[in-house]
Amino acid sequence: MKIQCIGNNVFICRTRQLKILFNCSLETKTLNKQQQEQQQQETRSDLSFILSRYFSEQGKRATDTQYSSVTSAINNCDEQTVFRIPDFRLIDIHTIDLVVIANSECMLGLPYLTEYMGYKGKIIATEPTIEFAKQRMEELVIYHSQNISYIDPGSSRYLTQLLPSSSIPEGWRSIYTLRDIESCIEKIQPVRYNESLLLFSTLRLVAHSSGYCLGSANWLLETSFKKIVFLSTTSNFNHLHPAPFDQTVLADADAVIVADVVEPSSNHISFDRAMTKLLAHTARTLRSNHNVLIASPSMNILFDLIGMIQTYLKSIGGKEIGPDRHDIPMYVVSPIADKSLKYANICGEWMNLDRQSLLYEPHMPLPHGQLMKTGALKVIPSLDSTVKPEIREPCIVFAGDPTCIHKGSIVWFMNQWKSSKDNTCLTIVPEAPITDEIKPRDCEMTCVHTPLDTRLKLEDIPSILRVKQPLKDTRYLLIPKMKGADLVKEELSNDLKTKVYIYTIGDIIHIDLKREWEEITVSEKLAKSIIPTHRQVNGHHVSLYAPINGILNVYNNNLELHPDMSNLRDNGQALRIQVELNTIIQQFKQNSIPIEIKSSQDGEITIELPSDLDSRVHIRQDSVTIVSDDERVRSLLKSIFIN
């Protein structure tokens, strides 16, 4: 088996002549106006120099025309956002047999694969993963398609004509379209947790809850009696709304591929500390009658955050979340917020047991459902309409695309509330703090980064993998190269049956799983020729056994045993010849016949009987020959060898 890492949390697995892609994530990059102007000036001089040396005047004019049109497209907006999927240049897309998705965040690049790169194979994901990914894709299109949507997203090189390769490598594209999303989603097969899928006759695939978000999964791939586990984005916080991390997926695993874990850092803030900090800032800001802006996605952690803030404000007294004038209102500003919040509350079976129990009561599993019903929580699809939305202050607002802070409504609210430093902006995505470069000019708002990261830490992996029973076979563990990876490898080095590999993007790791058994099927024709024989053991237990002789055919990874036509006799029936040497010796002992066994270089075995019997038996790969002049001896030998 070969494992190739082609991106962050993206792998190609090659096993049993199958090629499986795990995840297809999307990378985002934003260029502000000042950077573009500087880079374009540098690139223009470099491009002119190259053209003057290597191109004809006619070719130069054609290239300049293309350059000008793309430059005009880029300059039409203040800030451009471009997108990139993992590098598939060295991989033939048409050879990929299956795509498996771990969670909605790992699926955002899939439309490029299916609509622009020609992938036609199977795609598998859980039901909530498909729906939330679709909503997130639609949000990306709404935020980013207006700028450069008419530049073909199938082109991955258009920006490299303008910008230095050091700042913008190849592979960046504009966002896909809503039609691409619809077409892509139709190609995905939904599955449920613990649903066993048999694919390509030899591959069994099972999704287990990873505890990270609704529908997030760790995948178990079983083939040739070997288990391979892809431990993707995983959370061990069982008190949050998703179904808890199902650790049974690791039982008897022969290989575990770990991805998207938190790197150990002295600056790392635990989830509980970050949540306490966020709640404290929220309460202090509201107590001073000012506003709280939280840069948050419209799904996942938001479903817990709303309830936690509501509970905390109620516990400390003072103003609470509610629809009345003396209460604090909540707003979620996003074009997909209404669908996301409502869909989450019908996914009770994908939540933890406490939430699931609410399905049998007249309560919604998540608290935001009741808040929306009473009007304490309102959804604002867009701030671009001519009618300004009515926002009652002080309030709490969840807004924006946290992976691209300048898009969406975050900047709009920061401009509205920038005059007072008592207004607070909180960012909760670990990789997306608000810096001074992003803040609007003269913005006095207090910006605080409280990263709510629920993912597993790298140092948690050894404790999760420890089992009470000793491993039967060698287990292979693949972990990403990061700070602390060597310590994890050293910690597990005492376990002689665990081999640890540290990988980076681009690495190809060969794992020898030493398959000892293969599952085969017996053809109908051969099955009809099998005649079981009764055998009594210790006078009580009766077994049925039958020797099988045939030719193994391999087709589409399916192993099937067919009759060996070369061994058929004149009557068309195959003689079943028992040539197991130990059994033969036992038969001779039971008949009190001493024998001498000889073997030749060509594999022939000769059994010599005593000289007074003047008989011998030649055992070859496909036949048994009895040589004897005595009819009684020949009959006895036939009874030993032929059933």
Side-chain angles (χ1 to χ4, degrees):
M1 183 181 73
K2 295 180 182 178
I3 301 292
Q4 180 180 3
C5 178
I6 63 172
N8 184 24
N9 201 7
V10 182
F11 300 90
I12 292 283
C13 175
R14 296 176 176 87
T15 180
R16 292 295 305 270
Q17 301 178 2
L18 297 174
K19 188 181 291 186
I20 305 169
L21 172 64
F22 284 87
N23 300 328
C24 187
S25 56
L26 189 65
E27 186 180 353
T28 304
K29 187 176 183 67
T30 301
L31 309 172
N32 60 43
K33 190 77 171 179
Q34 183 178 0
Q35 288 176 329
Q36 290 174 35
E37 290 176 353
Q38 180 181 358
Q39 291 169 342
Q40 289 174 17
Q41 290 174 1
E42 295 174 356
T43 309
R44 182 180 294 276
S45 60
D46 294 340
L47 184 62
S48 300
F49 176 74
I50 295 173
L51 291 173
S52 63
R53 291 189 57 185
Y54 296 106
F55 289 93
S56 64
E57 190 65 27
Q58 181 179 1
K60 181 178 183 299
R61 284 197 299 270
T63 306
D64 281 342
T65 301
Q66 183 183 17
Y67 177 92
S68 300
S69 63
V70 178
T71 303
S72 176
I74 296 295
N75 287 335
N76 280 339
C77 54
D78 293 334
E79 293 176 322
Q80 289 76 46
T81 304
V82 288
F83 304 88
R84 182 171 65 178
I85 60 175
D87 188 359
F88 288 95
R89 286 178 297 176
L90 300 180
I91 299 171
D92 184 357
I93 297 296
H94 302 287
T95 63
I96 298 177
D97 300 286
L98 177 67
V99 176
V100 180
I101 304 297
N103 57 66
S104 57
E105 296 175 5
C106 298
M107 185 174 148
L108 300 182
L110 195 59
Y112 291 118
L113 197 69
T114 60
E115 308 308 310
Y116 295 96
M117 301 176 68
Y119 176 72
K120 302 296 182 184
K122 281 182 173 290
I123 307 171
I124 296 176
T126 61
E127 296 173 9
T129 293
I130 298 172
E131 179 59 31
F132 283 122
K134 179 185 177 184
Q135 295 174 10
R136 183 72 178 99
M137 292 174 188
E138 292 172 350
E139 185 179 41
L140 288 174
V141 170
I142 293 171
Y143 283 154
H144 302 288
S145 64
Q146 296 177 357
N147 294 337
I148 49 177
S149 61
Y150 52 89
I151 298 178
D152 183 11
S155 171
S156 62
R157 294 176 57 88
Y158 69 89
L159 278 175
T160 61
Q161 301 174 28
L162 299 178
L163 306 175
S165 59
S166 59
S167 60
I168 304 294
E170 292 185 3
W172 295 100
R173 312 163 185 261
S174 56
I175 195 62
Y176 33 71
T177 65
L178 292 176
R179 181 178 297 178
D180 295 333
I181 297 172
E182 292 293 336
S183 178
C184 174
I185 295 299
E186 291 176 356
K187 299 178 173 69
I188 305 174
Q189 176 182 346
V191 298
R192 306 183 70 82
Y193 287 150
N194 301 315
E195 178 182 349
S196 181
L197 298 178
L198 183 62
L199 303 171
F200 312 109
S201 302
T202 58
L203 182 69
R204 192 172 72 91
L205 202 63
V206 183
H208 293 258
S209 173
S210 73
Y212 178 68
C213 61
L214 292 176
S216 62
N218 292 321
W219 288 92
L220 170 64
L221 187 156
E222 189 171 359
T223 178
S224 302
F225 301 97
K226 296 294 182 179
K227 294 182 178 180
I228 302 129
V229 175
F230 283 83
L231 201 67
S232 192
T233 315
T234 301
S235 174
N236 223 0
F237 287 86
N238 296 333
H239 64 282
L240 300 180
H241 73 277
F245 170 34
D246 183 2
Q247 298 191 24
T248 61
V249 69
L250 298 171
D252 299 323
D254 296 284
V256 180
I257 295 89
V258 177
D260 201 17
V261 290
V262 178
E263 182 176 9
S265 171
S266 57
N267 299 325
H268 176 72
I269 303 177
S270 68
F271 175 83
D272 293 331
R273 283 186 58 195
M275 179 59 71
T276 301
K277 184 178 178 181
L278 181 144
L279 295 174
H281 277 284
T282 300
R284 183 166 56 249
T285 302
L286 295 175
R287 192 178 294 116
S288 64
N289 287 325
H290 286 81
N291 305 293
V292 179
L293 173 62
I294 301 178
S296 166
S298 302
M299 54 189 66
N300 300 342
I301 192 64
L302 174 67
F303 305 143
D304 289 298
L305 194 55
I306 292 173
M308 289 180 175
I309 293 176
Q310 180 190 21
T311 303
Y312 181 76
L313 294 179
K314 185 181 294 185
S315 67
I316 63 174
K319 292 185 177 181
E320 299 180 6
I321 303 298
D324 299 328
R325 284 197 166 274
H326 61 275
D327 293 328
I328 301 294
M330 279 185 173
Y331 301 95
V332 181
V333 185
S334 169
I336 63 156
D338 189 61
K339 288 192 295 185
S340 175
L341 292 169
K342 290 179 179 178
Y343 180 76
N345 257 323
I346 64 173
C347 293
E349 68 271 26
W350 300 88
M351 301 180 189
N352 60 36
L353 293 178
D354 292 337
R355 304 285 183 185
Q356 288 185 29
S357 63
L358 295 177
L359 295 175
Y360 305 100
E361 301 177 9
H363 300 288
M364 297 185 187
L366 296 171
H368 66 253
Q370 185 63 25
L371 293 177
M372 293 178 70
K373 187 176 180 179
T374 61
L377 173 64
K378 295 183 179 180
V379 172
I380 302 176
S382 174
L383 296 171
D384 297 333
S385 60
T386 55
V387 180
K388 184 178 179 180
E390 181 181 350
I391 299 176
R392 182 163 52 88
E393 300 181 8
C395 63
I396 301 173
V397 175
F398 302 92
D401 179 359
T403 60
C404 190
I405 296 292
H406 66 284
K407 293 293 182 182
S409 52
I410 294 180
V411 175
W412 189 91
F413 280 102
M414 294 185 78
N415 281 317
Q416 289 290 112
W417 298 335
K418 66 180 181 180
S419 59
S420 175
K421 64 179 181 180
D422 292 325
N423 291 319
T424 303
C425 179
L426 302 168
T427 54
I428 65 173
V429 177
E431 298 83 11
I434 289 187
T435 60
D436 292 336
E437 291 79 8
I438 298 176
K439 290 172 61 176
R441 185 176 300 176
D442 302 327
C443 180
E444 298 293 333
M445 283 187 73
T446 300
C447 295
V448 182
H449 188 215
T450 56
L452 300 181
D453 199 345
T454 63
R455 295 174 298 168
L456 283 178
K457 297 188 288 292
L458 180 63
E459 58 262 34
D460 295 334
I461 299 301
S463 60
I464 291 175
L465 291 179
R466 288 194 181 98
V467 292
K468 295 181 180 179
Q469 295 83 9
L471 295 172
K472 297 178 181 178
D473 301 306
T474 301
R475 177 176 58 193
Y476 298 88
L477 174 65
L478 278 65
I479 57 176
K481 185 176 183 180
M482 59 172 58
K483 182 180 178 181
D486 292 326
L487 294 177
V488 171
K489 184 175 182 178
E490 182 179 352
E491 182 177 350
L492 293 173
S493 62
N494 295 329
D495 186 351
L496 299 179
K497 287 195 172 183
T498 299
K499 293 186 177 180
V500 182
Y501 295 89
I502 300 175
Y503 67 85
T504 58
I505 295 177
D507 286 352
I508 300 177
I509 298 177
H510 299 256
I511 299 177
D512 184 10
L513 292 181
K514 297 180 179 178
R515 300 197 301 263
E516 299 175 352
W517 299 93
E518 292 288 353
E519 184 175 341
I520 68 171
T521 57
V522 178
S523 69
E524 182 179 357
K525 189 173 183 180
L526 180 59
K528 290 180 178 179
S529 68
I530 298 175
I531 304 175
T533 301
H534 290 267
R535 183 173 182 178
Q536 197 170 34
V537 180
N538 297 329
H540 300 287
H541 182 69
V542 177
S543 298
L544 294 176
Y545 70 96
I548 299 178
N549 183 29
I551 296 177
L552 191 63
N553 290 347
V554 182
Y555 180 73
N556 279 346
N557 286 314
N558 188 24
L559 305 178
E560 189 172 33
L561 198 63
H562 292 265
D564 185 0
M565 305 302 294
S566 62
N567 285 341
L568 294 180
R569 295 293 178 90
D570 295 338
N571 58 1
Q573 297 293 328
L575 291 177
R576 291 177 287 114
I577 303 174
Q578 187 175 355
V579 294
E580 294 184 7
L581 197 56
N582 291 335
T583 305
I584 293 172
I585 295 173
Q586 190 66 27
Q587 291 281 347
F588 278 106
K589 286 183 178 180
Q590 291 178 2
N591 288 277
S592 302
I593 303 175
I595 59 174
E596 181 181 357
I597 301 175
K598 300 178 181 179
S599 60
S600 62
Q601 293 182 352
D602 59 359
E604 180 179 332
I605 298 175
T606 301
I607 299 178
E608 294 281 356
L609 274 66
S611 57
D612 59 324
L613 296 179
D614 192 21
S615 301
R616 65 189 59 83
V617 180
H618 300 284
I619 303 175
R620 301 179 183 86
Q621 186 176 3
D622 56 353
S623 65
V624 175
T625 304
I626 298 173
V627 180
S628 178
D629 293 332
D630 191 326
E631 184 63 31
R632 290 181 302 171
V633 174
R634 186 162 55 250
S635 298
L636 175 62
L637 294 176
K638 286 175 64 177
S639 66
I640 293 176
F641 284 94
I642 302 178
N643 294 327

